[in-house]
Amino acid sequence: MDDPTARNRLDAEASPYLRQHADNPVNWQPWDDDALEAARERERPIFLSVGYAACHWCHVMEEESFEDEAVAAILNGAFVPIKVDREERPDVDRVYQTACQLLAGRGGWPLSAWLTPDGKPFRVGTYFPREPRRGMPGFLDLLEDVATAWDDPEDRAELEERAETITSRLRAELEDVPDAANVGEATTAPPEDIEDVGERPEPDERGPGPLERAASAAVNAADRQHGGWGRGPKFPQPARIEALFEASLTDASGSGGVDGEGTTGDGDAAQRFQAVGTAALAAMTDGGLYDHVGGGFHRYCTDRDWTVPHFEKMLYDNAELPRQLLRAYQLTGRERYADVARETFAFLDRELSPHDGAFAATLDARSPVPPGRTEEGEPGEHEEGAFYVWTPGEVASALDDGDLASLVSERFGITTAGNFEGKTVLTVDASLQALADDRDLDPATVAEQLDAATEGLRAVREQRPRPRRDDKVIAGWNGLAIRALAEGSLVLEEDALADRALGALAAVREQLWDGERLARRYVPGSGDGWGAASPGAGDGTHADVQGRGYLEDYAFLGRGALACYETTGDVDALGFALDLGDVVVEQFYDDAAGTLYATPADGEDLIARPQEPRDQSTPSSLGVGTDLLLALDAFRSDDRFETAARHVLETHRRTVEKHPLEHPSLALAAERARSGSTEVTIALEGGRFGEETAERWRSWLADRALPRRLVAPRPADDALLESWLEDLGLDDAPPIWAGRGADTPPRAYVCQGFTCSRPLADTSAADDWLAG
């Protein structure tokens, strides 16, 4: 066959990250059969580079090495160089990231891996400078050393033997399920956004449940001075916050939940759990992780006190963090949490919604230097954070009001010295009360002035050169956003958010669901996949659809579809969630192993089939998938979903007990299995909220934080319910609906702790039942 490695083949790819490298002198190959077969036929080692479009150090390594002719010459002559977008191929990334963690103790991007022709790794690292620097080996030297060793028969044999050893360890780490004899003996270091907290106590079967263990571990490991976890870099860790909040409700279960006034019962543990969770959110929303001008969260902060972020914005962070803000709002009643959630949803709509209703994947960390900042670089040169930072002069020019500029600068700590390379990343530096006292104003007036000022800053910032947007629509990440919007509609009582969630669900379903299986992603339009981070950049036509869906796609999108049904009563969304749950069991559940694998049974045969029990930058697909099956079990008359879920939880039970901080999503699922959902079945006219009395129930749900909430609207009329059952392909009404109609709707049935109420005509009766 023709030699596919004779040229750079990335110009035929739709991924913006891969196309970004299409002009490199390196003859990059996509991860496909042609490239892998070429490596085997020519007996060349593979150099694998994994990254993503918004990755700052991926850009740096490209500029230093992949655009360099000398580097390209050795890569092209001695290797088969393959470039992978980790967002498109999380399976490939997971396998070789695990190898990096095994060998180096940590991972990250860009991932650099040297593989035998059959894909077995013998050397793995992350970023390498072109020349040796600060104790790091030079990339060019590494390439020459590996090429020389591969050409020597004895050295090659050593590399192949090393590759076999690493692959055996990889398979044990990724494929094996826990064993009572060795569970808890960690074989890899925690990933880059998980830190170890030392020894854990042996599990006590009579002691606290898995969720309380996870929450207690989160409390013990928390940075009580600055909020969050770790000493820098600081990652958001939304799953830990969710575990803390859910555990606070579980610990205070005598009150049946929280009523919006911040009441959590009299449990000291509940108060500690809530305090650590809200402290983490407060640190993020006040610090540089949050974009105080445009809304939305950056990926992580480089320091302990949440000041300087890594400036890329990921869809998944801006989906998961609003969910925790909404929960904090329910728990405490503090409007600040609701405001930041709304602002983040507005950011998603404004900057990550370029087409057909779905959401784009990322915004780049870098953007061209704005005109006038000549000391920072030549105009047009890309610099990290250039779009987001400010100087006092820029603020004064933008607002054209000295008093307002002074107020903004004092509020957000904008100084001449700055806090990031001579500029300022905005952080909350002065409270509203302090600003009001200094100006002899009331805090509400100061808040109004600041709102007007930030609107002015945003209008001016919109004229700056923008970060590039990766327009890939990823099924799973959209599922996270859909769930957040649907829950936002319920908690904030804003129908537009539910409409937005249903619109995104329809767009993803239209492009990626063929009626039986889900694809991983599509790139809308016929361009190169790069957006300008402004509305209207694409119309969704001629979408490039690629990749089989992974467990995270089915689990996250299924959770989003279920949330849409809970919020609106849209039975079609519920049906889609049930369809996705069926595929989870058929393609990802392994009964013999008792686990959910991250890749489908009929997917590509890599050197290992990974599982994802740990929460990392996205939630554990194993944990969310298990929780989805448990929640959907309420809508089935058989026990297929529950049996699979409980089997998975039993398989991983002792791992979660031993290392609860690393497995909060699994702990959340385990608590649902242990304690049940708080089910709220509401018999409604037509099965949907709308009339005034029905809206009282929706307001009640908005105000009350219920542990493991599962809302189940149904038609009050049994005849209409029959049509729902027909649409869902169910012979009989599932237990959550059965016998729960109403002659005079709405009527609610509330179940908690596997015990159910009588039919309830008003919300006060529900409060009495939960309190009793």
Side-chain angles (χ1 to χ4, degrees):
M1 68 174 181
D2 293 337
D3 183 4
T5 67
R7 70 176 187 89
N8 186 321
R9 293 200 290 131
L10 299 188
D11 58 354
E13 297 298 307
S15 158
Y17 173 68
L18 298 185
R19 293 178 68 88
Q20 172 184 301
H21 293 269
D23 294 329
N24 294 166
V26 178
N27 289 341
W28 290 117
Q29 308 295 299
W31 182 280
D32 65 7
D33 290 341
D34 288 345
L36 298 174
E37 182 61 28
R40 289 189 289 267
E41 284 193 358
R42 291 159 178 76
E43 295 187 353
R44 285 192 203 171
I46 294 167
F47 172 70
L48 174 66
S49 176
V50 183
Y52 60 101
C55 168
H56 171 68
W57 288 102
C58 299
H59 296 318
V60 173
M61 194 165 179
E62 178 188 18
E63 292 163 359
E64 291 179 346
S65 294
F66 302 147
E67 294 178 351
D68 182 82
E69 295 289 347
V71 170
I74 191 168
L75 277 172
N76 296 339
F79 299 89
V80 173
I82 295 180
K83 179 66 75 169
V84 165
D85 183 338
R86 66 107 171 175
E87 295 169 357
E88 288 193 337
R89 293 301 304 264
D91 55 338
V92 173
D93 180 59
R94 173 68 169 158
V95 168
Y96 296 108
Q97 283 286 350
T98 302
C100 191
Q101 291 157 14
L102 283 167
L103 298 177
R106 59 169 298 165
W109 300 278
L111 180 69
S112 303
W114 286 263
L115 320 176
T116 64
D118 55 359
K120 297 174 181 176
F122 56 85
R123 179 156 195 162
V124 190
T126 53
Y127 162 78
F128 294 102
R130 185 187 185 280
E131 306 296 338
R133 187 170 71 233
R134 298 175 187 170
M136 290 185 288
F139 184 60
L140 188 57
D141 292 343
L142 284 173
L143 292 177
E144 291 172 345
D145 290 347
V146 172
T148 300
W150 192 261
D151 287 340
D152 182 278
E154 290 187 9
D155 289 345
R156 181 189 294 193
E158 289 185 10
L159 293 178
E160 290 174 333
E161 183 178 355
R162 175 176 169 81
E164 290 292 340
T165 300
I166 294 169
T167 300
S168 295
R169 293 177 64 193
L170 263 178
R171 287 172 177 156
E173 174 67 22
L174 292 173
E175 295 185 345
D176 289 356
V177 294
D179 180 281
N182 61 24
V183 69
E185 299 300 319
T187 56
T188 66
E192 63 160 10
D193 49 357
I194 300 288
E195 71 280 354
D196 199 354
V197 294
E199 294 297 320
R200 283 86 171 178
E202 288 293 331
D204 179 357
E205 298 296 339
R206 298 165 298 172
L211 182 59
E212 187 177 348
R213 288 178 183 276
S216 296
V219 169
N220 293 337
D223 180 348
R224 303 304 286 269
Q225 182 178 356
H226 296 287
W229 293 270
R231 305 185 72 84
K234 281 282 187 68
F235 289 83
Q237 310 288 5
R240 293 183 186 178
I241 299 171
E242 183 170 10
L244 285 163
F245 288 161
E246 287 297 311
S248 77
L249 293 169
T250 301
D251 187 74
S253 59
S255 68
V258 174
D259 60 7
E261 299 298 325
T263 304
T264 58
D266 57 2
D268 290 340
Q271 294 172 16
R272 287 196 303 273
F273 296 158
Q274 188 184 126
V276 171
T278 54
L281 287 177
M284 294 178 215
T285 55
D286 285 352
L289 190 78
Y290 184 64
D291 179 357
H292 296 274
V293 170
F297 292 88
H298 301 291
R299 182 165 170 254
Y300 67 90
C301 281
T302 61
D303 44 32
R304 182 182 177 189
D305 61 1
W306 300 97
T307 299
V308 178
H310 221 8
F311 289 91
E312 62 261 46
K313 290 183 177 180
M314 318 298 291
L315 176 57
Y316 52 74
D317 290 324
N318 288 287
E320 286 296 278
L321 284 171
R323 288 186 55 239
Q324 310 320 318
L325 290 164
L326 293 167
R327 202 54 150 175
Y329 174 55
Q330 286 187 308
L331 287 165
T332 68
R334 296 175 194 159
E335 287 293 334
R336 169 69 172 162
Y337 296 125
D339 290 343
V340 175
R342 289 189 184 95
E343 290 166 6
T344 303
F345 291 145
F347 155 75
L348 290 178
D349 241 5
R350 187 177 61 251
E351 298 189 40
L352 286 183
S353 303
H355 38 70
D356 74 358
F359 294 100
T362 64
L363 288 183
D364 204 333
R366 308 197 307 175
S367 58
V369 175
R373 287 194 192 161
T374 54
E375 77 284 0
E376 190 173 331
E378 292 296 325
E381 181 181 339
H382 283 68
E383 295 287 345
E384 185 179 10
F387 183 71
Y388 298 103
V389 296
W390 293 86
T391 66
E394 288 172 337
V395 171
S397 176
L399 298 179
D400 195 26
D401 181 323
D403 291 338
L404 204 54
S406 175
L407 176 66
V408 167
S409 294
E410 190 174 344
R411 169 68 166 171
F412 295 116
I414 303 168
T415 64
T416 302
N419 55 25
F420 177 71
E421 298 179 359
K423 313 295 184 299
T424 298
V425 177
L426 272 58
T427 62
V428 174
D429 199 54
S431 70
L432 291 177
Q433 187 63 58
L435 294 169
D437 290 344
D438 288 346
R439 290 161 175 78
D440 197 22
L441 298 170
D442 63 272
T445 299
V446 171
E448 290 175 4
Q449 292 177 348
L450 285 169
D451 287 344
T454 51
E455 285 289 337
L457 293 182
R458 182 161 65 244
V460 170
R461 198 177 75 173
E462 290 295 311
Q463 306 308 311
R464 293 177 178 176
R466 303 189 62 86
R468 294 189 297 183
R469 180 185 57 224
D470 183 337
D471 277 348
K472 285 197 310 294
V473 174
I474 298 172
W477 296 8
N478 269 260
L480 297 176
I482 290 163
R483 182 182 184 184
L485 287 161
E487 292 184 5
S489 177
L490 185 66
V491 173
L492 301 176
E493 299 184 81
E494 296 179 11
D495 290 341
L497 294 176
D499 293 341
R500 187 70 185 84
L502 288 167
L505 183 66
V508 173
R509 188 174 179 180
E510 170 68 23
Q511 294 286 2
L512 297 181
W513 176 249
D514 65 4
E516 295 182 356
R517 300 292 289 276
L518 191 64
R520 167 67 173 173
R521 65 89 173 136
Y522 69 94
V523 179
S526 55
D528 64 2
W530 285 111
S534 57
D539 60 7
T541 59
H542 309 295
D544 181 280
V545 178
Q546 190 176 73
R548 292 187 177 185
Y550 301 100
L551 176 59
E552 73 168 42
D553 297 305
Y554 287 89
F556 297 173
L557 192 60
R559 253 306 181 183
L562 179 59
C564 285
Y565 156 72
E566 291 183 81
T567 298
T568 67
D570 188 323
V571 70
D572 190 48
L574 174 61
F576 185 39
L578 289 165
D579 288 341
L580 294 172
D582 280 327
V583 183
V584 168
V585 175
E586 291 162 6
Q587 283 292 322
F588 299 93
Y589 174 61
D590 187 310
D591 183 64
T595 196
L596 292 172
Y597 285 103
T599 57
D602 60 1
E604 182 178 346
D605 188 16
L606 301 176
I607 61 170
R609 189 182 181 195
Q611 302 169 78
E612 294 176 346
R614 291 189 181 99
D615 291 86
Q616 300 188 52
S617 54
T618 53
S620 157
S621 63
L622 196 157
V624 176
T626 303
D627 190 69
L628 173 67
L629 294 178
L630 289 168
L632 289 176
D633 176 69
F635 300 94
R636 295 184 68 105
S637 54
D638 60 28
D639 61 358
R640 184 186 191 212
F641 287 176
E642 182 184 24
T643 297
R646 289 188 179 276
H647 194 183
V648 171
L649 290 171
E650 180 57 29
T651 297
H652 295 277
R653 176 177 59 86
R654 293 199 61 202
T655 297
V656 178
E657 290 173 346
K658 281 276 192 176
H659 306 285
L661 189 67
E662 297 169 19
H663 301 88
S665 287
L666 264 172
L668 287 160
E671 188 61 37
R672 189 183 297 274
R674 181 177 188 246
S675 303
S677 303
T678 300
E679 298 175 359
V680 183
T681 301
I682 307 181
L684 300 166
E685 192 71 44
R688 289 177 175 265
F689 292 102
E691 61 183 88
E692 181 179 350
T693 53
E695 291 302 301
R696 292 177 192 164
W697 281 106
R698 190 160 71 164
S699 294
W700 180 81
L701 289 166
D703 290 341
R704 192 172 191 88
L706 298 171
R708 301 168 305 284
R709 181 190 63 210
L710 182 62
V711 184
R714 58 148 284 174
D717 178 56
D718 284 337
L720 181 55
L721 180 65
E722 285 297 324
S723 71
W724 276 30
L725 298 178
E726 184 177 347
D727 290 343
L728 295 172
L730 299 176
D731 294 330
D732 301 303
I736 202 166
W737 287 340
R740 293 181 173 180
D743 293 332
T744 56
R747 287 289 186 273
Y749 302 78
V750 181
C751 301
Q752 192 174 68
F754 305 105
T755 303
C756 296
S757 72
R758 65 185 188 283
L760 303 171
D762 58 69
T763 58
S764 61
D767 285 328
D768 291 342
W769 185 85
L770 284 168

